[in-house]
């Protein structure tokens, strides 16, 4: 596509649009569409425009021209009809014939075709072209120009194809758009002509209404200048037309009405509204007031107001009648409203009651609803008052009373009760004396009733209050008192009336206190606080006193009101409660709460004076034995006596406190030399070690004392108490009846212990334990059929931890129960595994702590169930216990050991000979094995006493049906001596150290199995 072709088509189309725009801008008069000459003129004009376009064509070659003639001719066919189109086509065709050239036939064919297609489509639209759209015109132009391009096929084929390739796209793009734009322009012209016709019709219609009818009409501009008025408006305002045209709205309207009119008028000018209605007062000639109803509308041009049309209806007569009626009603309303009265008018013959708005306001309902339903008022009267009200009305209707009067309660719509005074009187009667009409008024007396009730209540409260009350003048002379004043002070009203309140003063209060009290009342108007007073009998008591000054309108104090209540018992009770909360009831010493306050005070004092103080933590040794043997009463007497001895050992400035049980603390303040602390501690130990005479009994105790210093050892109360407690336990560990100072190592040991407990709990949860096995070898047959399971802790950071480091902690914390359960289950399963794998029954010994016996719970049943499931009921498990467990000798221990035996579990007595060995419990309890403690076997010699004891133990055990296991066998000589003495089993490093399960299997179980197999093969 050549650029010249495109520019030429665009210029041609632009020229066409420019010519038509100029044509459209020219003013013209529209004639009837059947005027032939006008149509011929239009056709000649269109033909001329077409020739102008043909004078600026795009020339493809000599005699081959292209221009926008098809656009103007098709549009002419659509909008100007057949005559104009025919004329334009003929003119254009003649000019094209004159031009000649190779495309003469296609050129004339395009002219005729475009005109014909436009005419046919215009006929199809039937003249309704004012609403034609852009898309419809564009597609028509596309269709028309596509048909016209077909005329190019009449040319030689090769020439036609080359030509059509070059012109088709711009032809079918530019010319359809030009067709649509030109069609929209002419469509707008048709729409304007139609709107003008409608406006002309509206104008004729308005003109007919303007001159006739009963409405005044005025036409003004937006500056309120009058343009036209009708006769009705002149007659309404009593002005001539010329006089009115010299006036404006501001001159005719009342000032207040004009402001309202101006507000709406400005809204109309701003485009917010198009019309509005108002009731306006106008000033007619000679200042006569005319009441009108005004309707204002506007005529706009491109959203701007051109003219304003105002219609007015005269409502003067109607308004005057309304004003007269309203004036009379307003007078009555003013009278009733000024007195806040409800009014009622009862037509007795019709049984209709009319009430006013205040009556409806009293009931809280709508006035119309109240007047339509007379029973609404009666039903709202309180049920207790309703019968009395109706009887009072009947009595007046019957002539028994000159006036109806009743006070009653009525419930409004909100549910609240109001008190009313209802008065009325019969206004007219018939000739027989029957009442015809009765009127009355309601008065709301709720506030009066409340005041009366408040005064009655205040008098009742004043006379019946438990607080003493008195009214005094400004000098303090008593004017009045209530009954409580007499009950509390003992003075009657006659005895104190006109006397000064100072008759109650007590010497416990200073003169300064009375001065402050008086100043506060004068300056602030009130005072309250605790004051001591004196009764008539001279008894002194404490009260909570409140003084209030009553002032008049000028602010001057005229009266004083004193209120007081006796709080002597309350103060005594508070003192008792405070003492109970801060002192130990048994010893009378400060308790923990008081001790904490004392330590806090001492710390502040020590910091300010740069001094030291010591805290002693005392625990009475062997107090539990006294309590258990002599009883709790004797224990309490011992504690009281110990408290007295402690107080006798310290200074007046020091403090002794009881924390609870047998624990005491001593605070030594102002320490300058540690030797003084030592002296006090030794004195306390000496005094507490002296015998305690408890009636017929004598008790002996001692004390373990822990001492810590502030601020050397700790800077907080918690730290002081913790360090003193740790030092006290160190004293107990060293043998009791001594004192021990806190050292940093104690804190480290405590932290280590706390960390050990945490790690131990984690070890139980994560099963960080392992079992090592140490063989128990038969000394007579030299076979390993028994083994002791020994626990080891595989710590993730510390490695293998021996039992001696954690078993005691586990027992103290109760964790030994979970550990023992785990050991039992692992050992039982291991015994079953050896049996199933090697065919050897190996008895596994398990150590059981006394704590496990105490907290065994359901563990035993679980153990028995596990043994039954594993088929280990033939003495495969042996429980090792210590002598200390048997010391209690209670039936529960015996029953438990019996249950073990019934379940196929044997019992071994561990470390025999080191405790309180007794033949009595060996005889009573069923024990299977005795284990001689390694302390007897370590220095074993046939000539020393250890051998003699071992030999005696072996003989005794065999006599009682028990077998003996010797622990700590480390040499061949020890084994030989024990075997010769008849000992059944030996256990120690001579045979093996405790081994992991794999190594134990290789060294003992597999060896035993091989030995048995060889014996069987030899046999």
């Amino acid at each position: 596509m050549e650029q010249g072709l495109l520019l030429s088509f665009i210029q041609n189309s632009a020229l066409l649009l420019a010519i038509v725009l100029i044509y459209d801008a020219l003013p013209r008069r529209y004639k009837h569409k059947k005027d032939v000459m006008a149509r011929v003129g239009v056709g000649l004009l269109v033909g001329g425009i077409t020739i102008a376009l043909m004078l600026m064509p795009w020339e493809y070659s000599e005699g081959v021209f292209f221009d926008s003639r098809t656009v103007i001719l098709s549009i002419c066919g659509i909008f100007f009809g057949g005559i104009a189109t025919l004329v334009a086509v003929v003119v254009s065709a003649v000019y094209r014939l004159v031009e000649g050239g190779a495309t003469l036939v296609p050129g004339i064919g395009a002219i005729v075709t475009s005109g014909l297609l436009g005419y046919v489509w215009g006929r199809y639209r039937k003249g309704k072209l004012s609403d034609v759209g852009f898309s419809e015109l564009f597609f028509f132009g596309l269709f028309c120009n596509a048909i016209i391009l077909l005329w190019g096929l009449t040319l030689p084929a090769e020439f036609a194809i080359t030509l059509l390739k070059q012109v088709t796209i711009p032809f079918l793009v530019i010319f359809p758009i030009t067709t649509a734009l030109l069609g929209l322009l002419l469509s707008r012209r048709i729409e304007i002509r139609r709107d003008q016709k409608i406006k002309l019709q509206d104008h004729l219609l308005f003109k007919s209404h303007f001159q006739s009818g009963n409405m005044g009409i005025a036409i003004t501009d937006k500056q309120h200048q009058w343009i036209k008025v009708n006769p009705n408006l002149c007659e309404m305002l009593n002005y001539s037309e010329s006089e009115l045209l010299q006036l404006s709205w501001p001159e005719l309207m009342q000032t207040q009405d004009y402001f309202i009119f101006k507000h709406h008028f400005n809204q109309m000018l701003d485009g917010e509204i198009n019309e509005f209605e108002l009731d306006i007062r106008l000033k007619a000639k000679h200042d006569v007031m005319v009441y009108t109803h005004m309707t204002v509308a506007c005529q706009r041009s491109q959203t701007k107001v051109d003219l304003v049309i105002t219609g007015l209806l005269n409502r003067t007569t109607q308004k005057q009648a309304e004003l007269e009626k309203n004036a009379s009603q307003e007078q009555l309303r003013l009278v009733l409203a000024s007195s806040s009265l409800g009014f009622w008018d009862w037509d007795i013959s019709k049984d209709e009651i009319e009430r006013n708005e205040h009556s409806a306001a009293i009931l809280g309902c709508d006035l119309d609803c109240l007047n339509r339903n007379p029973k609404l008022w009666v039903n709202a009267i309180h049920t207790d008052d309703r019968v009395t009200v109706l009887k009072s009305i009947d009595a007046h209707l019957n002539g028994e009373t000159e006036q109806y009067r009743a006070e009653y309660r009525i419930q409004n719509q909100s549910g609240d009760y109001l008190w009313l005074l209802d008065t009325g009187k019969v206004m007219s009667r018939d000739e027989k004396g029957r009442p015809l009409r009765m009127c009355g008024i309601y008065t709301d007396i709720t506030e009066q009733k409340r005041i009366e009730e408040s005064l009655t209540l205040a008098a009742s409260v004043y006379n019946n209050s438990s607080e003493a009350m008195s009214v005094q003048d400004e000098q303090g002379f008593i004017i009045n008192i209530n009954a409580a004043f007499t009950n509390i002070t003992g003075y009657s009203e006659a005895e104190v009336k006109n006397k000064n309140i100072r008759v109650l003063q007590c010497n416990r209060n200073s003169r300064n206190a009375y001065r402050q009290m008086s100043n506060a009342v004068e300056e602030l108007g009130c005072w309250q606080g605790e004051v001591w007073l004196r009764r008539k009998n001279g008894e002194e008591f404490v009260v909570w006193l409140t003084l209030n000054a009553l002032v008049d309108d000028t602010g001057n104090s005229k009266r004083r009101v004193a209120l007081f209540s006796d709080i002597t018992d309350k103060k005594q009770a508070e003192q008792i409660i405070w003492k109970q909360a801060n002192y130990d009831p048994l010893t009378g010493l400060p308790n923990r709460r008081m001790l904490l306050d004392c330590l806090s005070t001492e710390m502040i004092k020590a910091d300010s004076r740069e001094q030291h103080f010591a805290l002693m933590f005392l625990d009475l040794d062997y107090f539990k034995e006294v309590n258990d043997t002599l009883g709790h009463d004797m224990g309490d007497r011992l504690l009281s006596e110990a408290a007295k001895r402690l107080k006798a050992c310290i200074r007046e400035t020091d403090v002794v406190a009881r924390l609870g049980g047998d624990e005491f603390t001593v605070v030594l303040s102002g320490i300058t030399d540690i030797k003084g602390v030592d002296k006090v501690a030794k004195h306390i130990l000496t005094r507490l070690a002296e015998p305690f005479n408890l009636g017929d009994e004598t008790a002996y105790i001692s004390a373990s004392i822990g001492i810590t210093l502030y601020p050397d050892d700790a800077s907080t109360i918690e730290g002081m108490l913790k360090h003193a407690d740790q030092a006290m336990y160190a004293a107990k560990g060293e043998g009791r009846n001594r004192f021990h100072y806190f050292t940093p190592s104690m804190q480290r040991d405590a932290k280590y212990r706390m960390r050990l407990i945490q790690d131990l709990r984690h070890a139980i949860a994560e099963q960080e334990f392992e079992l090592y096995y140490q063989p128990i070898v038969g000394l007579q047959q030299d076979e390993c059929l028994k083994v002791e399971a020994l626990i080891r802790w595989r710590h993730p950071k510390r490695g293998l931890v021996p039992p001696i480091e954690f078993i005691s902690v586990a027992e103290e914390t109760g964790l030994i129960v979970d550990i023992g359960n785990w050991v039992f289950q692992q050992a039982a399963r291991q015994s079953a595994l050896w049996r199933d794998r090697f065919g050897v029954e190996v008895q596994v010994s398990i150590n059981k702590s006394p704590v496990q016996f105490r907290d065994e719970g359901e563990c035993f049943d679980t153990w028995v169930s596990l043994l039954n499931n594993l088929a280990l009921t033939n003495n495969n498990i042996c429980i090792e216990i210590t002598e200390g467990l048997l010391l209690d000798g209670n039936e529960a221990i015996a029953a438990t050991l019996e249950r073990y035996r019934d379940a196929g579990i044997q019992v071994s007595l561990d470390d025999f000979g080191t405790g309180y060995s007794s033949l009595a419990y060996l005889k009573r309890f069923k024990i299977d094995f005795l284990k001689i403690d390694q302390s007897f076997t370590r220095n074993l010699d046939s000539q020393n006493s250890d051998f003699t004891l071992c030999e005696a133990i072996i003989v005794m055990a065999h006599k009682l049906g028990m077998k003996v296991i010797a622990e700590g066998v480390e040499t061949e000589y020890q084994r030989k001596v024990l075997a010769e003495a008849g000992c059944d089993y030996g256990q120690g490093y001579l045979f093996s150290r405790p081994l992991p399960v794999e190594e134990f299997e290789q060294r003992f179980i597999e060896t035993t199995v091989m030995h048995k197999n060889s014996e069987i093969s030899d046999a």
Side-chain angles (χ1 to χ4, degrees):
M1 181 192 304
E2 293 183 5
Q3 185 175 2
L5 169 63
L6 183 61
L7 291 175
S8 180
F9 277 14
I10 294 175
Q11 290 174 357
N12 208 259
S13 298
L15 177 61
L16 171 61
L17 292 173
I19 293 173
V20 175
L21 283 172
I22 294 172
Y23 162 77
D24 185 67
L26 295 175
R28 65 183 65 86
R29 297 179 63 187
Y30 296 98
K31 298 182 179 180
H32 197 274
K33 66 179 181 178
K34 291 185 179 181
D35 190 342
V36 177
M37 293 305 296
R39 295 299 171 183
V40 172
V42 171
L44 293 174
L45 179 60
V46 173
I49 294 173
T50 304
I51 293 173
L53 294 174
M54 293 167 66
L55 290 174
M56 295 183 63
W58 174 73
E59 188 173 0
Y60 177 73
S61 60
E62 187 177 355
V64 180
F65 306 103
F66 288 92
D67 51 54
S68 57
R69 74 189 78 160
T70 56
V71 175
I72 186 63
L73 292 175
S74 62
I75 290 298
C76 181
I78 295 173
F79 288 93
F80 300 141
I83 297 175
T85 303
L86 179 61
V87 172
V89 168
V90 171
V91 171
S92 301
V94 170
Y95 179 77
R96 182 66 187 89
L97 183 64
V98 171
E99 282 186 319
T103 58
L104 177 63
V105 173
I108 295 176
I111 291 172
V112 175
T113 302
S114 60
L116 181 61
L117 289 175
Y119 176 74
V120 171
W121 190 78
R123 294 290 294 175
Y124 168 75
R125 290 285 298 181
K126 298 180 181 179
K128 298 179 180 180
L129 300 174
S130 60
D131 57 348
V132 67
F134 178 87
S135 58
E136 182 180 352
L137 290 169
F138 175 80
F139 284 112
F140 167 75
L142 185 65
F143 171 74
C144 180
N145 286 282
I147 296 297
I148 291 171
L149 282 176
L150 295 177
W151 279 101
L153 298 177
T154 60
L155 300 172
E158 184 177 354
F159 180 78
I161 292 173
T162 303
L163 180 63
L164 290 176
K165 284 182 178 180
Q166 192 168 5
V167 302
T168 298
I169 293 177
F171 204 82
L172 295 182
V173 173
I174 297 173
F175 287 175
I177 294 175
T178 307
T179 302
L181 294 175
L182 187 59
L184 288 176
L185 183 63
L186 295 176
S187 173
R188 177 60 182 163
R189 169 62 65 179
I190 295 174
E191 184 180 358
I192 292 172
R193 290 175 59 191
R194 181 194 63 189
D195 292 344
Q196 288 179 342
K197 288 182 180 180
I198 293 173
K199 288 181 179 179
L200 180 60
Q201 294 173 1
D202 291 343
H203 176 71
L204 294 174
L205 182 62
F206 173 77
K207 187 175 180 180
S208 63
H209 284 284
F210 187 80
Q211 298 296 335
S212 60
N214 60 352
M215 178 182 291
I217 300 176
I219 301 175
T220 62
D221 60 14
K222 57 185 179 181
Q223 284 79 30
H224 304 308
Q225 296 298 321
W226 294 57
I227 301 173
K228 185 72 174 176
V229 295
N230 72 340
N232 286 330
L233 184 58
C234 296
E235 182 180 353
M236 184 187 303
L237 299 179
N238 202 20
Y239 283 108
S240 64
E241 181 177 356
S242 59
E243 289 175 330
L244 273 180
L245 292 178
Q246 300 300 319
L247 300 175
S248 62
W249 287 123
E251 296 174 290
L252 290 174
M253 289 184 187
Q254 293 288 331
T255 303
Q256 184 178 0
D257 292 352
Y258 175 69
F259 284 130
I260 300 173
F261 169 81
K262 186 178 180 181
H263 171 72
H264 291 82
F265 191 84
N266 289 336
Q267 285 185 313
M268 188 171 66
L269 292 180
D270 294 338
E272 298 178 14
I273 57 176
N274 290 321
E275 61 182 22
F276 62 90
E277 296 185 17
L278 293 173
D279 286 333
I280 295 294
R281 294 167 294 176
L282 297 180
K283 292 181 288 186
K285 201 169 186 178
H286 307 302
D287 293 329
V288 176
M289 187 68 66
V290 178
Y291 293 89
T292 66
H293 180 75
M294 172 185 289
T295 302
V296 182
C298 66
Q299 180 179 352
R300 298 183 185 274
S301 175
Q302 296 181 351
T303 71
K304 292 185 178 180
V305 175
D306 287 339
L307 297 177
V308 179
I309 303 173
T310 305
L312 299 104
L313 287 175
N314 192 343
R315 298 185 57 197
T316 303
T317 303
Q318 178 184 357
K319 191 66 176 179
Q320 288 176 346
E322 291 178 358
L323 291 175
E324 292 175 358
K325 179 181 178 181
N326 291 338
S328 60
Q329 293 179 345
E330 186 64 23
Q331 289 178 353
L332 179 59
R333 279 197 297 268
L334 287 174
V335 172
L336 295 176
S338 61
S339 57
S340 299
L341 300 176
F343 174 77
W344 52 273
D345 188 349
W346 182 18
D347 188 337
I348 300 175
S349 59
K350 297 181 180 179
D351 196 19
E352 294 178 354
I353 298 179
E354 183 178 353
R355 295 180 173 88
N356 66 346
E357 293 182 356
H358 193 74
S359 302
I362 291 174
L363 201 58
C365 67
D366 182 67
L367 178 60
D368 294 336
C369 179
L370 178 61
N371 288 332
R372 286 196 305 270
N373 187 6
K375 293 184 178 180
L376 193 63
W377 187 276
V378 177
N379 293 335
I381 299 174
H382 196 286
T383 53
D384 294 343
D385 303 336
R386 193 176 300 161
V387 174
T388 303
V389 171
L390 295 177
K391 286 182 177 180
S392 179
I393 292 175
D394 289 340
H396 180 66
L397 293 176
N398 295 332
E400 298 174 8
T401 58
E402 294 185 1
Q403 184 183 23
Y404 157 69
R405 180 184 178 89
E407 291 183 3
Y408 56 85
R409 291 161 291 177
I410 191 167
Q411 187 178 27
N412 59 24
Q413 297 294 319
S414 300
D416 299 326
Y417 278 99
L418 304 176
W419 275 97
L420 296 182
L421 171 60
D422 191 1
T423 57
K425 191 173 184 179
V426 173
M427 305 303 295
S428 61
R429 297 178 181 270
D430 59 9
E431 61 278 2
K432 295 183 179 181
R434 288 176 297 190
L436 298 177
R437 183 185 179 195
M438 182 176 177
C439 298
I441 56 174
Y442 303 116
T443 305
D444 188 346
I445 59 172
T446 306
E447 190 61 30
Q448 299 176 19
K449 286 288 185 179
R450 287 177 180 171
I451 293 173
E452 292 176 4
E453 183 180 357
S454 177
L455 292 174
T456 303
L457 180 61
S460 176
V461 170
Y462 183 77
N463 292 317
N464 296 286
S465 174
S466 60
E467 280 192 301
M469 299 183 186
S470 66
V471 180
Q472 311 156 21
D473 62 15
E474 59 272 19
Q475 281 79 34
F477 289 95
I478 297 174
I479 298 173
N480 193 9
I481 64 171
N482 67 346
F485 186 97
T486 300
N487 295 334
I488 294 175
T489 66
Y491 288 102
S492 65
E493 184 175 2
E495 290 173 324
V496 296
K497 194 169 185 179
N498 298 324
K499 290 187 178 181
N500 199 283
I501 193 67
R502 284 194 294 269
V503 297
L504 301 179
Q505 285 185 359
C506 174
N507 293 330
R508 290 201 186 194
N509 305 312
S510 64
R511 293 183 178 180
N512 186 44
Y514 288 119
R515 190 180 303 110
Q516 292 177 355
M517 187 188 312
S518 179
N519 292 338
V521 175
E522 291 178 1
E523 296 176 4
L524 303 177
C526 63
W527 180 89
Q528 62 178 0
E530 292 182 5
V531 176
W532 282 90
L533 300 179
R534 187 178 62 247
R535 292 188 174 94
K536 180 181 178 180
N537 60 10
E539 179 185 352
E540 294 178 347
F541 63 105
V542 63
V543 299
W544 181 262
L545 174 63
T546 301
L547 290 175
N548 290 291
L550 303 180
V551 297
D552 56 16
D553 296 338
T554 61
N556 295 321
S557 175
K558 294 297 184 182
R559 295 288 186 269
R560 290 184 180 182
V561 178
L563 297 87
F564 60 86
S565 56
D566 188 351
I567 60 171
T568 307
D569 294 339
K570 179 182 177 184
K571 294 293 289 185
Q572 292 175 349
E574 288 177 355
Q575 185 66 24
I576 293 172
I577 293 172
W578 180 85
K579 188 172 182 180
Q580 290 175 344
N582 294 279
Y583 284 86
D584 175 47
L586 176 63
T587 63
L589 297 177
N591 60 10
R592 174 179 286 272
R593 180 197 296 269
M594 197 69 174
L595 172 66
L596 296 178
D597 292 341
C598 175
L599 289 175
S600 178
T601 303
E602 286 296 329
M603 285 182 177
I604 296 173
K605 189 190 303 180
D607 291 340
S608 62
R609 300 178 183 177
E610 297 184 358
Q611 292 180 345
H612 301 257
F613 73 87
L615 173 65
M616 291 183 176
F617 199 104
L618 289 84
D619 184 83
L620 302 183
D621 304 326
Y622 312 113
F623 174 74
K624 182 177 184 301
E625 286 75 3
V626 175
N627 238 2
D628 294 343
T629 56
L630 302 182
H632 290 283
D633 291 339
M634 291 300 178
D636 290 345
R637 290 180 63 179
L638 188 148
L639 290 173
S640 297
E641 180 62 26
K644 293 177 182 178
R645 295 184 185 185
L646 287 172
K647 291 184 69 176
C649 295
I650 63 173
R651 301 167 298 180
E652 289 290 335
T653 57
D654 300 329
V655 176
V656 178
R658 182 190 177 203
L659 297 184
D662 59 348
E663 293 180 342
F664 295 86
T665 58
V666 177
V667 180
L668 303 177
S669 59
I671 297 299
T672 57
D673 188 356
I674 197 171
K675 293 180 180 179
V677 180
D678 293 349
K679 183 178 179 181
V680 174
K682 291 176 182 178
H683 191 192
I684 290 174
L685 291 176
T686 302
R687 291 287 288 127
L688 293 179
E690 296 174 0
F692 285 83
N693 296 319
L694 307 176
D696 297 334
E697 302 288 344
T698 301
Y700 294 88
I701 63 170
S702 62
S704 298
I705 305 175
I707 305 173
T708 185
L709 301 176
Y710 178 88
D712 307 79
D713 298 331
S715 59
T716 63
I717 295 175
E718 293 80 5
M720 294 285 290
L721 291 172
K722 180 174 65 176
H723 292 169
D725 187 52
Q726 291 172 358
M728 182 273 293
Y729 274 106
K732 275 192 178 295
E734 292 180 359
R736 306 182 183 181
N737 192 26
R738 65 191 66 239
F739 63 89
H740 199 293
Y741 284 93
F742 169 79
T743 61
S745 61
M746 295 178 186
Q747 180 68 2
R748 289 195 297 270
D749 292 342
K751 290 183 178 179
Y752 171 78
R753 175 184 171 83
M754 181 181 68
R755 184 61 185 173
L756 183 64
I757 294 172
Q758 294 175 353
D759 290 349
L760 200 55
R761 294 184 188 276
H762 183 267
I764 294 172
E766 299 298 327
Q767 295 188 357
E768 296 176 355
F769 299 109
E770 299 178 8
L771 286 184
Y772 275 45
Y773 298 91
Q774 186 175 31
I776 301 175
V777 179
L779 298 181
Q780 308 302 325
Q781 303 86 9
D782 201 20
E783 294 181 352
C784 177
L785 298 175
K786 292 170 60 60
V787 64
E788 182 177 2
L790 300 169
I791 191 170
R792 297 292 185 270
W793 178 10
R794 183 72 65 178
H795 195 282
K797 294 181 180 180
R798 298 170 55 193
L800 203 63
V801 181
I804 193 172
E805 293 190 26
F806 65 87
I807 289 298
S808 60
V809 175
E811 288 179 332
E812 293 174 13
T813 58
L815 297 175
I816 192 65
V817 176
D818 294 331
I819 295 175
N821 290 338
W822 181 86
V823 171
F824 182 89
Q825 294 174 12
Q826 291 296 110
R829 291 189 175 95
Q830 188 61 57
S831 178
L833 180 62
W834 284 333
R835 179 197 62 198
D836 299 339
R837 183 178 177 185
F838 299 105
V840 177
E841 297 283 352
V842 180
Q843 186 185 65
V844 182
S845 296
I846 303 168
N847 291 287
K848 186 168 184 180
S849 168
V851 178
Q852 290 178 266
F853 277 88
R854 185 179 66 244
D855 301 329
E856 189 170 38
E858 299 179 356
C859 293
F860 178 79
D861 296 332
T862 304
W863 289 8
V864 173
S865 177
L866 177 63
L867 294 178
N868 291 331
N869 293 336
L870 298 175
L872 297 177
T873 57
N874 190 21
N875 298 330
N876 295 86
I877 301 297
C878 180
I879 299 297
E880 294 191 7
I881 62 176
T882 60
E883 288 181 285
L885 181 67
L886 304 180
L887 286 177
D888 293 338
N890 57 49
E891 295 299 327
I893 299 297
T896 301
L897 295 178
E898 188 67 30
R899 291 172 69 191
Y900 283 160
R901 182 176 295 277
D902 295 341
I905 300 175
Q906 290 188 323
V907 178
S908 177
L909 189 60
D910 197 10
D911 300 333
F912 183 78
T914 60
Y916 300 93
S917 304
S918 171
L919 295 177
Y921 64 66
L922 290 177
K923 181 180 179 180
R924 178 182 177 187
F925 298 104
K926 295 180 180 180
I927 307 297
D928 298 291
F929 299 96
L930 281 182
K931 296 190 76 173
I932 301 175
D933 188 72
Q934 59 182 347
S935 63
F936 295 102
T937 60
R938 185 176 296 115
N939 299 315
L940 193 61
D941 190 334
S942 60
Q943 301 302 321
N944 60 21
S945 59
D946 287 342
F947 172 76
T948 304
L949 288 173
C950 288
E951 189 177 30
I953 292 172
I954 293 169
V955 172
M956 177 192 65
H958 287 169
K959 291 294 184 179
L960 294 175
M962 293 179 285
K963 294 185 177 182
V964 181
I965 303 171
E967 291 185 303
V969 180
E970 298 182 354
T971 65
E972 183 63 31
Y973 174 77
Q974 293 171 350
R975 185 195 68 78
K976 181 180 177 181
V977 171
L978 289 169
E980 290 176 353
C983 184
D984 301 288
Y985 298 94
Q987 181 181 355
Y989 285 178
L990 174 65
F991 309 108
S992 174
R993 292 176 178 271
L995 300 173
V997 61
E998 297 84 0
E999 188 174 349
F1000 179 81
E1001 290 176 355
Q1002 293 175 3
R1003 289 184 56 183
F1004 294 98
I1005 296 181
E1006 292 179 1
T1007 302
T1008 302
V1009 172
M1010 291 174 61
H1011 180 66
K1012 285 186 177 181
N1013 292 338
S1014 64
E1015 289 180 351
I1016 294 172
S1017 62
D1018 292 341

